[in-house]
Amino acid sequence: MNLLIIYEHQLLADGLKVILEPNPSILSVNLLSLEQASTQSIQSFAPDILLIDCQQSHHQVTNLLEALSIQNVNLATFVLGVSQWMSTPSVVTKVFQLNSGLNDLLSEINALKSNSSQKLFNETYHYQTPFFSKYGISLREAQVIAYVMQRESSSSISEKLFISVHTVNTHKRNIYHKLSVPNERELIKFVQNRFKTEHSFKANS
């Protein structure tokens, strides 16, 4: 799940990035440098969650929000502080207070991440997708990928699939080789990006 943070307060953005790790897909853009960052480059990041830390009217933020909302109708948009200045407040999912609402904000983001991860797991587990066929991923390897996307450890995967930890790690090495990724973190990023761009998430009946 990709999280885009448009921030006015550097400390807040840095704190959120630390708290939300190990999410590998967080892009933060300073409000002051937003005009230098092209809307197209930000759109290519394809955020699922947009977090706006902006206390007053800013046309660049409004334009970006509208563009991203068109690109992803399910975009979850959270605003810290106030949103009255926005020209299209209907696209804002929820507003949180800058100080007291941070815990609620984190709960919302983590809930969305959990739901997305579960959906990813369910659809990956069905295996028969063009993605796996393209890269020669076996059924067992697909199952391992599904659990890796859930951030399950090798030990946990071995228990769920009734295979040894050694076998799980062997499957992982084979997967890394087939997808040309060096480690588990890059595997997660690779799968998230490829599934999103190739629209391969179609569960079979």
Side-chain angles (χ1 to χ4, degrees):
M1 173 165 282
N2 296 340
L3 169 63
L4 170 63
I5 304 174
I6 305 296
Y7 66 91
E8 193 170 13
H9 302 90
Q10 179 75 53
L11 187 61
L12 174 64
D14 291 345
L16 287 172
K17 288 174 69 175
V18 171
I19 293 171
L20 292 170
E21 286 291 342
N23 187 345
S25 303
I26 300 177
L27 173 65
S28 58
V29 181
N30 190 302
L31 187 62
L32 297 177
S33 61
L34 188 58
E35 292 187 10
Q36 282 72 48
S38 70
T39 299
Q40 185 175 6
S41 65
I42 294 177
Q43 282 182 297
S44 67
F45 178 67
D48 303 291
I49 302 174
L50 172 60
L51 174 58
I52 302 173
D53 165 32
C54 181
Q55 305 304 303
Q56 56 187 343
S57 179
H58 196 288
H59 74 278
Q60 197 77 11
V61 173
T62 303
N63 294 341
L64 177 62
L65 177 56
E66 292 176 351
L68 292 176
S69 298
I70 293 172
Q71 179 188 23
N72 180 3
V73 294
N74 297 316
L75 178 69
T77 305
F78 301 132
V79 177
L80 280 171
V82 294
S83 64
Q84 287 84 346
W85 54 266
M86 289 189 175
S87 61
T88 54
S90 60
V91 297
V92 176
T93 306
K94 193 170 290 188
V95 179
F96 298 91
Q97 294 303 310
L98 187 57
N99 296 317
S100 60
L102 286 179
N103 284 336
D104 292 336
L105 169 66
L106 292 173
S107 295
E108 289 272 359
I109 292 176
N110 285 325
L112 286 171
K113 286 171 59 181
S114 177
N115 291 339
S116 175
S117 181
Q118 185 61 47
K119 179 183 178 185
L120 188 64
F121 171 82
N122 291 339
E123 292 171 334
T124 304
Y125 198 85
H126 278 84
Y127 169 66
Q128 295 297 335
T129 68
F131 175 87
F132 292 118
S133 298
K134 179 178 179 178
Y135 294 98
I137 301 295
S138 70
L139 173 58
R140 182 62 87 191
E141 289 167 347
Q143 293 169 334
V144 170
I145 290 175
Y147 283 115
V148 168
M149 301 305 290
Q150 287 284 82
R151 307 301 200 278
E152 297 280 358
S153 66
S154 293
S155 176
S156 175
I157 296 173
S158 74
E159 293 176 3
K160 288 178 167 60
L161 294 181
F162 303 102
I163 57 179
S164 70
V165 173
H166 174 75
T167 301
V168 172
N169 290 331
T170 298
H171 284 311
K172 284 185 177 181
R173 286 195 297 271
N174 291 337
I175 291 166
Y176 298 158
H177 176 73
K178 289 180 179 181
L179 301 184
S180 299
V181 296
N183 52 44
E184 191 169 298
R185 180 185 177 91
E186 292 303 314
L187 168 63
I188 292 171
K189 290 171 66 175
F190 181 92
V191 173
Q192 288 176 331
N193 292 334
R194 288 307 174 104
F195 271 34
K196 181 170 291 186
T197 55
E198 296 179 15
H199 308 287
S200 298
F201 278 141
K202 295 181 181 178
N204 296 311
S205 55

